[in-house]
Amino acid sequence: LPAQLSGHWETADGKPTLKLPTEYDGKVEIEYEYRDASGNVVAEDALQAGQTYSVVAKLKGDSAGNYVFIADDGQVTETPTQSAPYEFDFATDGNNGNGSTVGILAEDLNWFKTVLLIIACGVMTIAALLLIITLQVAAIRRIREKKNQEKQDK
């Protein structure tokens, strides 16, 4: 009887990977198949940031005869050599998964830039107000000093 595999999906670099128990490290060969929202197979290097895909892990080589995948309900998956599909939103640095990934979408980055701009404007406004207040205090002191000097001269 084939051994039963169950794992969990982790997304560390924009693309999910199926994490199996450590006892299977080096024993199980897996390849991934990606599908777009319409169900069409998509090559890994053709994944586009911001798009939703589903992925399945497929057993390859000798693993296909020695193991079967188990679904969350504990039953063997419909295709035993293939995991249940996992849906994810692909996020990358724009190199279609071939470069380092940042894990955030461009809209998130634009939002962050906007917040930083608002904070910078606020800090500059406060600095300008402090400068104006300092100049006014200095002017008031000069006026008082002149008045005191005039009183002393009389």
Side-chain angles (χ1 to χ4, degrees), residues 47-49 90-102 104:
L47 297 176
Q48 296 180 356
F90 184 63
T92 183
D93 63 353
N95 290 331
N96 291 329
N98 295 324
S100 63
T101 56
V102 292
I104 59 174

Side-chain angles (χ1 to χ4, degrees), residues 10-120:
E10 289 185 1
T11 304
D13 64 351
K15 292 176 284 205
T17 55
L18 185 64
K19 296 297 179 187
L20 299 172
T22 56
E23 64 192 73
Y24 296 110
D25 288 351
K27 297 177 183 176
V28 178
E29 290 183 77
I30 293 178
E31 62 185 353
Y32 297 98
E33 180 179 272
Y34 302 93
R35 292 186 178 268
D36 61 18
S38 301
N40 302 312
V41 175
V42 178
E44 184 174 349
D45 61 354
L47 297 176
Q48 296 180 356
Q51 298 296 313
T52 300
Y53 297 95
S54 66
V55 61
V56 293
K58 292 179 156 188
L59 297 171
K60 64 182 200 175
D62 291 337
S63 297
N66 296 326
Y67 301 96
V68 293
F69 281 109
I70 301 299
D72 291 337
D73 63 5
Q75 300 296 316
V76 175
T77 55
E78 187 175 328
T79 305
T81 58
Q82 183 173 301
S83 70
Y86 175 78
E87 190 171 289
F88 69 101
D89 292 325
F90 184 63
T92 183
D93 63 353
N95 290 331
N96 291 329
N98 295 324
S100 63
T101 56
V102 292
I104 59 174
L105 298 175
E107 300 89 46
D108 295 329
L109 187 57
N110 287 336
W111 177 85
F112 184 69
K113 286 179 182 178
T114 302
V115 169
L116 284 179
L117 181 63
I118 291 169
I119 291 171

